[in-house]
Amino acid sequence: MKSWPSNSDRLLLLQADERLHVMADPDTGGAGALPKASEHAAMASPGAPQAIDPVAIMRSRRYIGALVLAAIVGIPVSVIAYGFLALVATIQKFLFTALPNQIFSTPAPAWWPVPWLVLSGLLTALTIRYLPGNGGHSPAFGFVAGGGPPIRRELPGIALAALTTLSLGAVLGPEAPLIAIGGGLGALA
């Protein structure tokens, strides 16, 4: 078990960016303690940018308002995302467990996923071809930042392509469709 350092050991010398910095234990508030952001602002030269005080920002009305708005938008979006994932899981359980047990009275045969994968590819291709939004971003290109959230008319195509792909057995994760659906719903709000 480690013992706490003595007061004389509380100061540590660290070298970073070829400068020597002295730091003290924040509990002691002794010599060498890092100054608060407000003290930085007082010490700054008149032409230098002001230091940002994160505590003051978190207590501001604008920040609290942004948190309330995020909750108002985020709660329904998360309920919709949960419902989407629950629907995918229900369809998968029916297609790959319940339906083969009803038809064959045994677990699914090895060929059972093949027709569902073909149907998944066909429905996803039709969705991409004929519905706006191209079914969301292509996972073949990886994560690509930028762009913006999908617009209202693209959301059904993205949701349908994701639903057919995920529930009919294609091995892709739900992250990208959930981000697209959540971003689109958030942009609508």
Side-chain angles (χ1 to χ4, degrees):
M1 183 176 233
K2 290 186 175 182
S3 63
W4 290 101
S6 65
N7 285 337
S8 62
D9 294 335
R10 288 186 191 261
L11 294 179
L12 302 173
L13 295 174
L14 300 173
Q15 188 171 4
D17 297 330
E18 299 175 355
R19 292 181 292 164
L20 196 60
H21 297 281
V22 179
M23 293 174 43
D25 184 12
D27 296 324
T28 64
L34 296 175
K36 294 184 167 107
S38 58
E39 294 172 5
H40 276 297
M43 294 185 304
S45 63
Q50 293 288 328
I52 297 173
D53 186 9
V55 175
I57 291 173
M58 289 189 291
R59 291 182 180 162
S60 70
R61 291 186 76 109
R62 291 184 68 189
Y63 186 79
I64 300 297
L67 287 178
V68 169
L69 179 63
I72 290 170
V73 172
I75 291 171
V77 168
S78 65
V79 168
I80 290 169
Y82 179 81
F84 176 80
L85 291 175
L87 179 62
V88 167
T90 302
I91 293 171
Q92 285 178 342
K93 186 180 273 187
F94 174 74
L95 288 178
F96 297 105
T97 305
L99 186 60
N101 285 339
Q102 290 175 1
I103 293 174
F104 302 110
S105 299
T106 61
W111 57 265
W112 184 256
V114 174
W116 299 115
L117 288 171
V118 170
L119 180 62
S120 170
L122 177 66
L123 291 175
T124 303
L126 291 173
T127 302
I128 291 170
R129 173 76 175 106
Y130 293 109
L131 291 178
N134 294 329
H137 95 280
S138 173
F141 301 124
F143 180 73
V144 179
I151 59 175
R152 177 186 302 228
R153 66 187 200 102
E154 295 174 344
L155 284 176
I158 293 169
L160 187 59
L163 185 66
T164 59
T165 302
L166 295 172
S167 60
L168 294 178
V171 183
L172 294 174
E175 295 84 8
L178 289 177
I179 291 170
I181 292 169
L185 291 173
L188 288 177

